[in-house]
Amino acid sequence: MDTREHPVVAPKKPTLTPKAIIHQNFGNKASYVVEEVKEDHQTECPGLSIPQMGPCLYRCTLQLPELTVISGTFKKKKDAEQSAAEIAIEKLGICPETIDPTPQEAQESLVTRLTYIFSEKFLICDHPLSGHIRATLQRKGDLCGLVPISVIAVYDAKLLSLCKCINPEVESNPLLVISYIMRATAKLYPFLATSERHLWIKRQGPYPEDIIESLMKEDGSQECIQVAAVRIPSSVEQSIEAVTLHISLKEYYLDIIANELGFEDAANVLISRNLGKASSETRLFFTAPKSYLPDLSSKFPNGKETLYLKGSLNARASYFAGQDIIGDAILATIGYTRKSRDLFYEDVTVQLYYRMLLGKTPGGIYKLSREAILASELPSRFTARANWRGSLPRDILCMFCRQHRLSEPLFSITIHPFKTSSGLSGSCLKVTESGENVIDCVNGVSETSPKHSDSELSKCEIKLCSRCGDLILSCSPMDCYKKQNDAIQNASLKLISWLNKCFKSMVVPFEQIYEIADDFNIQIYSKNIFREILACQSIHNSQLNAIQCNKLVESIYMNSSYDMLGNIMHLLKIEGPYSGVCPCNGSLPCIRYSVSLAVEGENVKAVIEVCNEFEFEVGVGAVVSYIEEVVMQMSVGQYAYFTTNLLSSDLIFASASDSVKMLSLLSSKDCCMEYEISLIKVAEPPEERMEQALFSPPLSKQRVEFAVQQILESHATTLIDFGCGSGSLLEALLNYPTSLEKIAGVDISQKGLTRAAKVLNSKLVTNSDAGAQWTNIKSVILYEGSITNFGSQLHGFDIGTCLEVIEHMDEDQACLFGDVALSSFRPRILIVSTPNFEYNVVLQKSNPPNQEQEDSEEKTLLQSCKFRNHDHKFEWTREEFRQWASDLAARHNYNVEYSGVGGSADVEPGYASQIAVFKRDWKLEDDVLKHADEHHYNVIWDWNSKK
């Protein structure tokens, strides 16, 4: 595999948004007022007779001390605000800073920044670092006013940015900031003093007494608080344990943490960058060993400082923080914020530690989003947003990048117009190599939003880069989708699935991981960076997966998969009466469950997790396999009881609130998992979803291809689609080279006809702009009305189609349509398709019936089947359909042939979608209107190529 290395470059300075620039210049003096605007909607479909409601639009008024500006109208409030800010910037002539300072300029700015940090003005402002400085002024004796350098290095973002300009390696090793702060402090003597032996800075001159007195009045509380935290020992042989920090509000909380780590002075405490969300105050506090020496004299050949950090590496904490952690560490959520001058704190439990640990992998992120121990690591495929539960694949990928200090993923959408071949074997759609339109996206949101035609397909490419701009890898799936969002989500799912495989591997060599990447259409560019990311995970997998457990449990975990050891079920019992309502492929069952850790042969167990409602999609790997296996054997109202082997230790501790009790039970040699599951309800899958699970191409496309074949054979020039709905058939016909010159559709739904008009207009305009030569369509008309009423406008077409429509009507109305169509509309060919009820056994059970089944068993299966769609009024068997079609043809002098798509006529239970083709011999008198009582159809939309 080609693995190209890219040199390290300085991180690009992020471009500020217009609102951010206004805030820099005016702060709270800028006022944004957004109002909803009602405007006359210019329809996207010329000639459409149905009035259209326009989208909700917004306009923003920005009030500044110097002027007031008004934006244009936008669909999103935030876009209106940014537009108003952009107008104000242009009128005021503000030039935002876009050039990064040179290393020399950054060093000078660093000195200026430190001067400001220790000024009276900064002391009284609402800044996290100001809170620390104020707290150090209450320290006793010689410690009064000594500010730990680690605090300054972590809590001032501007100072950190300047250090990155001096040395880009600060991004990967944030402790380098301390050496730059010490060098800048030395230039400020005697205003500031520091110590080479102790990592602190002190302002030499005292602050004004009136400021100190006012601060003392604000902080007069003697209250003592208790903060729950977690100790992470550097030795993996020692357990993660809960600790309690007892902090008086008159004390500096870092001194208390230093005491917990075995020191008296907070200057001996180093602080990690924040963990989790950007606004989080959760950090690791760890020891600054005596060998910690920011060497200001030693330099690399390129002139950049190095850092000596000697001591016992804390593997668990280092993996957690993404940087080297020495010695024991305290995980705590505590610190000062901009929102309040009071000390902010939240409890951190052992359970939270393991949940954060779980969130380092894509599979763990998905599990946490589902809040369910039964959820799989990742579903096998993304079907539809409506059926997906938990965080979307794109969001999981973005969160993974943040967890591992990578840049936001870059998504590129490639739009492909597709053409059709003249042959109709298999899939007729072929993606053209020319005419591609590439849309760049950030975080999955396109920076430009061109109109997307339903006749275009989208592919998505994803790139992952380091914070320094190095391209690490790209994922370029070959699959195309009609919706851009589906392309983004499926590409994201493919990438995170591969990343999850990499992170689960304990002993697989890197070279083999690169080979697996080919199967996922992934190319690795920066081999070293990716190796470092996996190395951290490898340490975690191989050394830490079974901590806190005895040797027997450890040996089990070391040979188990992430979720289960072989997915072995024992003692399965299903109780309760059979209701007949069962889940099937594509359905959404909802279960209630409890999972416990138990000791076999003893009446001792502890509940790990209880969930009253958990919904998942069947057939896409949304839950661990043994859960789906059990649920598929149940009907609504039944209960299941079974046991399995142990889950991974991380997962148990992340789910259980009582870690001490779990550890005690895990010390037993005969532990197992106990499950109790009840099936509450089942949401049936849409008809199209069930069909897609078994047929490729989908049945809807196969029906279109069947109709196209009839058009080609008959050389028809006109076609009417009865019950056209939103125009899916008519739109699809525009992709095929046929003899059709005029097509029409009729439906009773104005909403469906409006959608059809917009889709067809967009497609026709696209074809016209592209100079499409494969279609001869000159006229398209959409009518509103019932297909059971006669109207001369619908008379005399060469071909009539009625695909999957009659089952949505009452049975007597379906029969009436047949009579009206063949006696009055009289197309030369009429194609009628409808579901084969007998095939529902296959669709709803997800597997074909056994050939050896007895007739009685087949009848029982058929009786338990439901209609494919809740809107179906009836569904006919093959015999019922043929009886209706043959009687209809006989009454009106038509011949009828039977066919279908999906399945085979020679294999039970026949075709999934059964089709009758009615044909008549052409006679001149047949085209003469003989119907006196006529219904007039409203023309909803009329398109003509000559207009």
Side-chain angles (χ1 to χ4, degrees):
M1 173 176 291
D2 180 22
T3 56
R4 295 184 285 274
E5 296 292 340
H6 294 258
V8 176
V9 297
K12 296 181 180 179
K13 187 174 183 177
T15 303
L16 293 177
T17 64
K19 279 191 69 177
I21 296 172
I22 290 294
H23 181 75
Q24 278 187 343
N25 288 269
F26 296 96
N28 296 330
K29 295 179 181 179
S31 173
Y32 296 86
V33 179
V34 180
E35 59 180 340
E36 188 174 336
V37 180
K38 294 182 179 179
E39 293 184 349
D40 294 334
H41 178 56
Q42 298 296 324
T43 178
E44 298 176 0
C45 186
L48 183 62
S49 63
I50 301 174
Q52 295 299 293
M53 295 295 294
C56 187
L57 300 176
Y58 298 95
R59 179 187 293 127
C60 177
T61 300
L62 171 57
Q63 297 176 346
L64 299 172
E66 304 175 27
L67 82 163
T68 299
V69 297
I70 301 176
S71 74
T73 55
F74 296 85
K75 291 183 179 180
K76 296 181 179 180
K77 294 180 181 180
K78 64 180 182 180
D79 292 340
E81 292 175 340
Q82 294 290 1
S83 175
E86 191 172 2
I87 295 171
I89 291 170
E90 184 177 352
K91 287 188 174 183
L92 293 170
I94 298 174
C95 297
E97 295 182 13
T98 57
I99 302 175
D100 291 327
T102 64
Q104 182 62 36
E105 292 171 340
Q107 290 176 0
E108 295 173 358
S109 298
L110 188 61
V111 173
T112 303
R113 181 64 183 172
L114 278 172
T115 303
Y116 173 67
I117 287 174
F118 284 90
S119 67
E120 293 89 349
K121 183 179 179 180
F122 186 80
L123 180 67
I124 61 176
C125 74
D126 294 328
H127 189 285
L129 184 54
S130 300
H132 282 271
I133 297 175
R134 290 192 293 269
T136 60
L137 294 176
Q138 299 186 41
R139 301 174 80 184
K140 304 300 181 182
D142 295 337
L143 297 179
C144 181
L146 300 186
V147 182
I149 296 180
S150 60
V151 169
I152 302 173
V154 167
Y155 289 102
D156 188 61
K158 291 184 178 180
L159 189 147
L160 182 61
S161 297
L162 290 172
C163 291
K164 290 179 182 178
C165 294
I166 299 172
N167 184 357
E169 291 184 11
V170 167
E171 180 64 49
S172 58
N173 188 358
L175 296 180
L176 282 172
V177 177
I178 294 176
S179 64
Y180 297 115
I181 293 176
M182 293 183 68
R183 171 177 288 180
T185 303
K187 295 180 180 180
L188 289 171
Y189 184 82
F191 174 63
L192 297 180
T194 186
S195 167
E196 294 184 2
R197 297 181 56 189
H198 303 285
L199 302 176
W200 53 256
I201 298 176
K202 182 178 180 179
R203 171 174 158 147
Q204 293 282 62
Y207 288 96
E209 291 186 6
D210 57 334
I211 295 179
I212 299 298
E213 289 177 1
S214 63
L215 294 177
M216 293 301 179
K217 292 179 181 179
E218 292 180 10
D219 302 330
S221 174
Q222 300 292 329
E223 181 185 353
C224 182
I225 60 174
Q226 296 183 355
V227 182
V230 170
R231 177 189 291 273
I232 307 174
S234 60
S235 171
V236 294
E237 300 297 327
Q238 295 180 340
S239 302
I240 303 292
E241 62 180 2
V243 296
T244 302
L245 304 175
H246 300 275
I247 302 173
S248 169
L249 295 183
K250 297 294 290 182
E251 296 177 298
Y252 186 31
Y253 77 88
L254 274 181
D255 286 332
I256 308 302
I257 293 177
N259 293 338
E260 189 67 37
L261 291 170
F263 296 93
E264 295 182 359
D265 186 0
N268 293 306
V269 177
L270 298 180
I271 307 171
S272 75
R273 47 196 166 199
N274 60 322
L275 308 176
K277 296 181 180 179
S279 59
S280 169
E281 284 301 317
T282 304
R283 301 176 186 272
L284 282 169
F285 302 86
F286 57 102
T287 305
K290 294 180 180 179
S291 56
Y292 179 84
L293 295 174
D295 189 350
L296 304 183
S297 59
S298 177
K299 295 184 178 182
F300 286 124
N302 60 5
K304 295 175 183 176
E305 292 79 10
T306 184
L307 183 71
Y308 296 105
L309 190 59
K310 299 178 181 179
S312 177
L313 183 69
N314 190 325
R316 288 177 289 194
S318 297
Y319 167 73
F320 210 62
Q323 66 183 82
D324 288 343
I325 304 293
I326 301 300
D328 290 356
I330 299 293
L331 178 67
T333 301
I334 188 169
Y336 296 97
T337 67
R338 293 181 182 273
K339 297 180 180 179
S340 172
R341 291 197 173 193
D342 296 332
L343 182 65
F344 171 82
Y345 62 93
E346 288 180 347
D347 288 342
V348 174
T349 63
V350 174
Q351 180 188 22
L352 180 61
Y353 164 80
Y354 279 101
R355 287 174 67 86
M356 295 177 69
L357 194 64
L358 198 62
K360 298 285 284 186
T361 65
I365 295 171
Y366 177 74
K367 271 186 176 291
L368 291 174
S369 72
R370 291 302 327 259
E371 290 290 343
I373 200 171
L374 303 186
S376 66
E377 292 179 7
L378 286 169
S380 58
R381 64 180 185 271
F382 179 89
T383 57
R385 185 163 188 164
N387 291 340
W388 187 273
R389 299 295 183 268
S391 295
L392 293 168
R394 182 201 67 187
D395 298 334
I396 294 173
L397 179 60
C398 293
M399 192 174 298
F400 171 84
C401 290
R402 296 183 199 116
Q403 289 280 12
H404 292 273
R405 312 291 298 178
L406 304 177
S407 294
E408 291 291 310
L410 301 176
F411 301 82
S412 295
I413 305 295
T414 306
I415 305 298
H416 299 268
F418 62 79
K419 298 181 180 180
T420 57
S421 60
S422 57
L424 294 175
S425 58
S427 174
C428 297
L429 303 182
K430 292 185 178 180
V431 177
T432 60
E433 296 300 329
S434 60
E436 295 182 354
N437 182 21
V438 179
I439 306 170
D440 292 327
C441 306
V442 178
N443 198 6
V445 180
S446 63
E447 297 176 341
T448 58
S449 300
K451 295 180 180 177
H452 181 62
S453 169
D454 285 2
S455 63
E456 296 173 334
L457 298 176
S458 300
K459 285 199 301 185
C460 177
E461 180 187 33
I462 305 175
K463 294 180 180 179
L464 297 189
C465 300
S466 71
R467 288 285 180 92
C468 294
D470 299 318
L471 178 60
I472 300 174
L473 58 85
S474 65
C475 177
S476 306
M478 302 304 296
D479 303 318
C480 294
Y481 300 88
K482 294 196 73 174
K483 295 181 179 179
Q484 291 183 17
N485 182 62
D486 288 349
I488 291 174
Q489 300 296 353
N490 279 283
S492 299
L493 181 58
K494 176 167 279 194
L495 178 53
I496 61 178
S497 296
W498 176 75
L499 287 169
N500 208 50
K501 284 181 178 291
C502 296
F503 273 57
K504 284 171 58 180
S505 302
M506 297 182 186
V507 293
V508 176
F510 289 111
E511 289 71 19
Q512 188 173 339
I513 289 175
Y514 299 147
E515 292 175 5
I516 299 173
D518 288 333
D519 299 332
F520 287 81
N521 306 115
I522 291 171
Q523 188 170 19
I524 301 172
Y525 292 86
S526 189
K527 193 172 182 180
N528 291 337
I529 295 178
F530 188 68
R531 186 187 292 269
E532 288 175 7
I533 296 174
L534 289 187
C536 293
Q537 181 67 29
S538 177
I539 292 173
H540 166 68
N541 285 343
S542 61
Q543 297 183 17
L544 313 176
N545 196 38
I547 57 169
Q548 300 187 341
C549 303
N550 59 24
K551 294 300 181 181
L552 175 63
V553 176
E554 180 172 351
S555 64
I556 291 176
Y557 287 156
M558 291 301 292
N559 293 283
S560 68
S561 67
Y562 183 83
D563 273 332
M564 280 295 299
L565 192 155
N567 295 340
I568 302 174
M569 277 192 303
H570 308 281
L571 307 174
L572 173 62
K573 292 190 299 182
I574 297 178
E575 298 178 355
Y578 179 77
S579 65
V581 181
C582 304
C584 62
N585 194 59
S587 65
L588 297 171
C590 183
I591 63 174
R592 180 185 298 115
Y593 71 85
S594 68
V595 183
S596 303
L597 182 64
V599 179
E600 295 181 19
E602 300 180 21
N603 190 23
V604 177
K605 67 178 181 179
V607 176
I608 297 176
E609 185 175 271
V610 176
C611 182
N612 290 323
E613 285 191 6
F614 177 73
E615 191 176 52
F616 64 93
E617 183 178 2
V618 173
V620 298
V623 294
V624 287
S625 58
Y626 59 92
I627 296 297
E628 184 168 306
E629 180 184 341
V630 171
V631 172
M632 290 295 286
Q633 301 178 50
M634 302 170 65
S635 66
V636 171
Q638 289 188 317
Y639 298 82
Y641 306 89
F642 61 95
T643 63
T644 68
N645 297 356
L646 288 171
L647 299 175
S648 71
S649 61
D650 288 354
L651 193 54
I652 291 174
F653 288 117
S655 303
S657 57
D658 191 345
S659 59
V660 176
K661 190 171 184 179
M662 292 300 141
L663 181 58
S664 175
L665 289 178
L666 284 172
S667 300
S668 171
K669 296 183 179 180
D670 300 315
C671 278
C672 66
M673 309 301 298
E674 280 192 4
Y675 298 81
E676 296 181 15
I677 297 176
S678 63
L679 182 57
I680 303 172
K681 60 183 178 181
V682 175
E684 294 300 324
E687 178 182 3
E688 185 178 357
R689 286 279 297 104
M690 283 193 294
E691 294 175 353
Q692 286 179 349
L694 289 180
F695 301 107
S696 181
L699 286 184
S700 58
K701 185 178 177 184
Q702 293 188 41
R703 286 189 289 265
V704 171
E705 293 178 358
F706 183 93
V708 171
Q709 191 65 47
Q710 295 294 322
I711 295 168
L712 293 176
E713 293 177 358
S714 64
H715 304 287
T717 59
T718 59
L719 177 142
I720 176 77
D721 185 21
F722 297 104
C724 65
S726 59
S728 57
L729 172 63
L730 299 177
E731 190 263 346
L733 290 175
L734 297 179
N735 297 316
Y736 294 85
T738 66
S739 54
L740 289 176
E741 297 180 1
K742 176 183 178 180
I743 59 176
V746 57
D747 201 276
I748 201 171
S749 168
Q750 280 195 356
K751 184 177 180 180
L753 290 168
T754 300
R755 167 67 176 161
K758 292 180 178 180
V759 169
L760 291 169
N761 181 74
S762 175
K763 182 62 177 289
L764 289 164
V765 170
T766 301
N767 286 352
S768 176
D769 293 342
Q773 302 296 323
W774 69 85
T775 177
N776 298 313
I777 301 295
K778 297 180 176 61
S779 174
V780 183
I781 305 178
L782 297 178
Y783 298 102
E784 178 193 7
S786 171
I787 60 176
T788 59
N789 296 326
F790 171 73
S792 60
Q793 296 142 298
L794 275 58
H795 173 80
F797 282 82
D798 293 337
I799 284 187
T801 56
C802 185
L803 306 184
E804 309 297 291
V805 173
I806 61 173
E807 64 273 9
H808 295 271
M809 310 163 66
D810 290 330
E811 200 163 353
D812 60 338
Q813 291 294 301
C815 295
L816 177 58
F817 160 72
D819 286 324
V820 172
L822 297 191
S823 66
S824 302
F825 298 139
R826 298 204 42 91
R828 280 193 282 170
I829 299 174
L830 176 65
I831 305 171
V832 179
S833 76
T834 190
N836 172 14
F837 181 66
E838 297 167 85
Y839 208 91
N840 291 2
V841 173
V842 179
L843 290 174
Q844 296 174 14
K845 295 298 180 182
S846 303
N847 55 348
N850 194 322
Q851 295 292 327
E852 299 179 357
Q853 285 181 319
E854 300 292 339
D855 291 341
S856 59
E857 293 177 346
E858 292 180 359
K859 290 180 180 179
T860 301
L861 281 172
L862 197 58
Q863 290 171 357
S864 67
C865 287
K866 299 173 286 294
F867 292 162
R868 299 184 195 177
N869 192 307
H870 66 88
D871 191 44
H872 287 185
K873 302 297 192 298
F874 67 90
E875 289 183 5
W876 282 331
T877 63
R878 286 169 292 176
E879 182 180 351
E880 291 170 333
F881 179 62
R882 290 188 175 224
Q883 185 65 51
W884 170 79
S886 59
D887 291 346
L888 184 63
R891 286 198 300 273
H892 302 289
N893 297 318
Y894 273 77
N895 299 317
V896 62
E897 300 172 355
Y898 303 100
S899 185
V901 294
S904 172
D906 302 327
V907 179
E908 290 296 323
Y911 291 111
S913 185
Q914 49 191 345
I915 299 176
V917 181
F918 300 89
K919 296 182 179 180
R920 66 172 174 84
D921 296 329
W922 180 84
K923 297 178 182 178
L924 180 61
E925 56 268 25
D926 288 336
D927 288 339
V928 178
L929 290 176
K930 302 177 182 179
H931 208 290
D933 186 13
E934 180 179 335
H935 171 76
H936 179 74
Y937 287 90
N938 295 324
V939 177
I940 297 300
W941 184 65
D942 186 356
W943 178 88
N944 193 297
S945 61
K946 296 180 181 179
K947 291 182 181 179

